[in-house]
């Protein structure tokens, strides 16, 4: 006899470690082989492992039983159809799955495969794996719920610069063969937080059929020390010196792409806004406006000259800074 050919592992056998029998592999034929190929393989292997050929060989006896079992399923159109659709659960037996957790499964209780797989996934743990990944190897939707249509969702955190200019990211997802697969994702310029990017055909697998959902990436932005987004409005605080606030004039202010000139009205107050047209967040027509909120910068180490001038200013004051507050602050007792 020649050396036995290696088993052809069923690429859909995502549950092999918990009892799945790869009948295609046992018969050493490609998945989906026609009946003639299955029958020919069975005859060859049955002759090879028959107890009359290998008497007192317990391994051959066990192998012969597996070959018979595989042929019994794959040669029967009805059994084969259920096996191809439901994998290890094709017979509707009540079984135990890996990890010692009991799972009652009876296909008579399900109207279709989607109902079954959703119930099955809901019993395979509860999202305790690394990164909140589901039993099928992909991230869950927020809150731990299972995707009803094999879709999956996870967060993708990018920097403000990446979101502003756009970028490409290489992600690693589980491939059809359960290995890691690299996927290129294009992030468009001006993407906003909570935007969902769709990666078609990169979601969860449906055991036994090879169907696969989509993977959705929910974009999150890393906080920036200067810039903040409110909707699509880019904002920042703009520090203005005391002299600049009183006298007004043109000052240089930073933007995401370099310095720009801002006109400060004389007597501007803290909390007021200044708008720079076309210097904000990218959009389809170019860039939106940039909004600055004025804050007064007070130096913590004034020079003697500055202190002297401030004392002169105080001596020349003609109004009481808290006059309006004083008029409105009193709370008289009711009569």
């Amino acid at each position: 006899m020649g050396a036995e050919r290696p088993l052809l592992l069923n690429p859909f056998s995502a549950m092999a470690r918990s009892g799945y029998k790869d009948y295609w592999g046992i018969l050493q034929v490609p998945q989906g082989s026609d009946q003639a190929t299955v029958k020919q393989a069975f005859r060859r292997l049955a002759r090879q492992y028959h107890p009359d050929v290998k008497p007192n060989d317990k391994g051959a006896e066990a192998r012969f039983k597996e070959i018979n079992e595989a042929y019994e399923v794959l040669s029967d159109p009805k059994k084969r159809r259920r096996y191809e659709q439901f994998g290890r659960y094709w017979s509707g037996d009540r079984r135990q799955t890996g990890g010692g957790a009991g799972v009652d499964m009876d296909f008579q209780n399900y109207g279709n495969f989607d109902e079954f797989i959703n119930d099955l996934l809901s019993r395979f743990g509860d999202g305790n794996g690394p990164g909140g990944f589901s039993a099928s190897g992909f991230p869950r939707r927020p809150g731990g719920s299972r995707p009803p249509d094999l879709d999956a969702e996870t967060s993708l955190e990018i920097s403000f610069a990446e979101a502003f200019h756009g970028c490409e990211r290489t992600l690693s997802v589980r491939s059809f063969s359960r290995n890691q697969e690299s996927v290129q994702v294009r992030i468009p310029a001006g993407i906003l937080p909570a935007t969902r990017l769709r990666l078609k055909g990169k979601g969860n697998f449906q055991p036994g059929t090879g169907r696969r959902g989509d993977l959705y990436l929910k974009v999150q932005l890393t906080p920036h020390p200067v810039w903040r987004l409110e909707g699509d409005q880019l904002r920042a605080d703009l520090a203005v010196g005391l002299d600049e606030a009183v006298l007004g004039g043109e000052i240089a202010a930073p933007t995401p792409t370099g310095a720009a000139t801002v006109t400060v009205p004389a007597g501007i107050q803290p909390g007021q806004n200044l708008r720079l047209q076309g210097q904000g967040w990218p959009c389809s027509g170019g860039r939106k406006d940039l909004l600055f909120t004025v804050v007064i910068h007070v130096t913590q180490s004034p020079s003697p000259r500055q202190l002297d001038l401030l004392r002169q200013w105080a001596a020349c004051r003609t109004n009481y800074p808290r006059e309006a507050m004083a008029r409105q602050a009193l709370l008289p007792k009711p009569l």
Side-chain angles (χ1 to χ4, degrees), residues 81-211:
R81 185 166 54 252
R82 293 183 67 82
Y83 172 76
E84 289 177 326
Q85 185 177 13
F86 297 107
R88 66 166 289 195
Y89 296 99
W90 70 274
S91 63
D93 293 339
R94 297 180 179 270
R95 305 201 178 192
Q96 293 285 103
T97 60
V103 180
D104 271 343
M105 288 295 167
D106 188 343
F107 282 121
Q108 309 309 316
N109 298 329
Y110 300 97
N112 54 49
F113 185 84
D114 285 337
E115 291 181 11
F116 155 69
I117 197 63
N118 292 333
D119 189 21
L120 175 62
L121 289 177
S122 72
R123 305 181 186 207
F124 272 157
D126 53 3
N128 296 328
F133 276 62
S134 68
S136 52
F138 284 86
R140 304 180 187 285
R141 293 184 182 276
S145 61
R146 297 307 200 289
D149 55 359
L150 299 180
D151 290 343
E153 182 174 302
T154 189
S155 296
L156 175 64
E157 189 171 35
I158 61 176
S159 68
F160 249 78
E162 289 174 319
F164 186 89
H165 295 289
C167 65
E168 284 192 358
R169 279 290 191 90
T170 301
L171 304 181
S172 182
V173 300
R174 293 284 181 87
S175 70
F176 179 78
S177 60
R178 308 293 289 172
N179 297 320
Q180 295 298 314
E181 173 187 1
S182 294
V183 179
Q184 286 290 118
V185 182
R186 174 65 187 168
I187 311 295
I191 195 168
L192 295 172
T195 299
R196 294 170 78 232
L197 299 175
R198 178 190 180 197
L199 298 184
K200 190 174 182 180
K202 300 300 179 183
N204 289 318
F205 292 101
Q206 188 178 62
T209 68
R211 286 182 53 201

Side-chain angles (χ1 to χ4, degrees), residues 3-326:
E4 180 179 341
R5 291 182 297 171
L7 295 182
L8 302 175
L9 295 180
N10 183 351
F12 294 114
S13 57
M15 293 176 279
R17 290 169 297 183
S18 57
Y20 176 85
K21 287 191 176 181
D22 180 12
Y23 293 145
W24 304 106
I26 290 172
L27 292 181
Q28 299 179 5
V29 295
Q31 181 177 344
S33 296
D34 58 26
Q35 291 295 333
T37 303
V38 169
K39 188 173 183 178
Q40 183 180 13
F42 168 72
R43 285 179 173 175
R44 175 179 56 81
L45 292 170
R47 284 195 301 267
Q48 182 178 345
Y49 291 100
H50 195 281
D52 290 344
V53 177
K54 294 187 177 182
N56 303 319
D57 187 337
K58 296 297 183 183
E61 181 180 351
R63 187 82 170 88
F64 183 77
K65 289 179 179 178
E66 283 188 330
I67 294 166
N68 275 329
E69 180 182 340
Y71 182 69
E72 179 186 355
V73 173
L74 297 183
S75 63
D76 185 312
K78 184 177 180 181
K79 290 181 180 179
R80 172 172 168 164
R81 185 166 54 252
R82 293 183 67 82
Y83 172 76
E84 289 177 326
Q85 185 177 13
F86 297 107
R88 66 166 289 195
Y89 296 99
W90 70 274
S91 63
D93 293 339
R94 297 180 179 270
R95 305 201 178 192
Q96 293 285 103
T97 60
V103 180
D104 271 343
M105 288 295 167
D106 188 343
F107 282 121
Q108 309 309 316
N109 298 329
Y110 300 97
N112 54 49
F113 185 84
D114 285 337
E115 291 181 11
F116 155 69
I117 197 63
N118 292 333
D119 189 21
L120 175 62
L121 289 177
S122 72
R123 305 181 186 207
F124 272 157
D126 53 3
N128 296 328
F133 276 62
S134 68
S136 52
F138 284 86
R140 304 180 187 285
R141 293 184 182 276
S145 61
R146 297 307 200 289
D149 55 359
L150 299 180
D151 290 343
E153 182 174 302
T154 189
S155 296
L156 175 64
E157 189 171 35
I158 61 176
S159 68
F160 249 78
E162 289 174 319
F164 186 89
H165 295 289
C167 65
E168 284 192 358
R169 279 290 191 90
T170 301
L171 304 181
S172 182
V173 300
R174 293 284 181 87
S175 70
F176 179 78
S177 60
R178 308 293 289 172
N179 297 320
Q180 295 298 314
E181 173 187 1
S182 294
V183 179
Q184 286 290 118
V185 182
R186 174 65 187 168
I187 311 295
I191 195 168
L192 295 172
T195 299
R196 294 170 78 232
L197 299 175
R198 178 190 180 197
L199 298 184
K200 190 174 182 180
K202 300 300 179 183
N204 289 318
F205 292 101
Q206 188 178 62
T209 68
R211 286 182 53 201
R212 192 171 183 184
D214 299 333
L215 176 60
Y216 290 88
L217 305 175
K218 189 174 182 180
V219 175
Q220 295 180 346
L221 269 59
T222 304
H224 194 275
V226 174
W227 308 113
R228 61 183 183 273
L229 271 173
E230 297 179 2
D232 59 359
Q233 177 66 68
L234 186 63
R235 304 184 64 112
D237 292 335
L238 181 64
V240 175
L242 183 60
D243 56 311
E244 294 171 329
V246 174
L247 300 175
E250 291 186 343
I251 64 172
T255 76
T257 53
T261 300
V262 179
T263 300
V264 178
I268 195 169
Q269 299 296 306
Q272 287 187 268
N273 293 322
L274 297 173
R275 185 178 296 273
L276 264 181
Q277 290 187 346
Q279 295 294 324
W281 200 248
C283 61
S284 58
R287 286 171 64 181
K288 293 184 175 293
D289 295 345
L290 174 59
L291 210 59
F292 285 122
T293 300
V294 172
V295 294
I296 302 301
H297 174 71
V298 178
T299 180
Q300 295 182 341
S301 54
S303 68
R305 173 64 173 160
Q306 289 173 322
L307 288 173
D308 184 55
L309 290 174
L310 285 171
R311 292 188 184 100
Q312 294 180 45
W313 185 344
C316 297
R317 183 185 295 126
T318 58
N319 63 327
Y320 177 54
R322 291 162 295 283
E323 181 178 354
M325 179 182 178

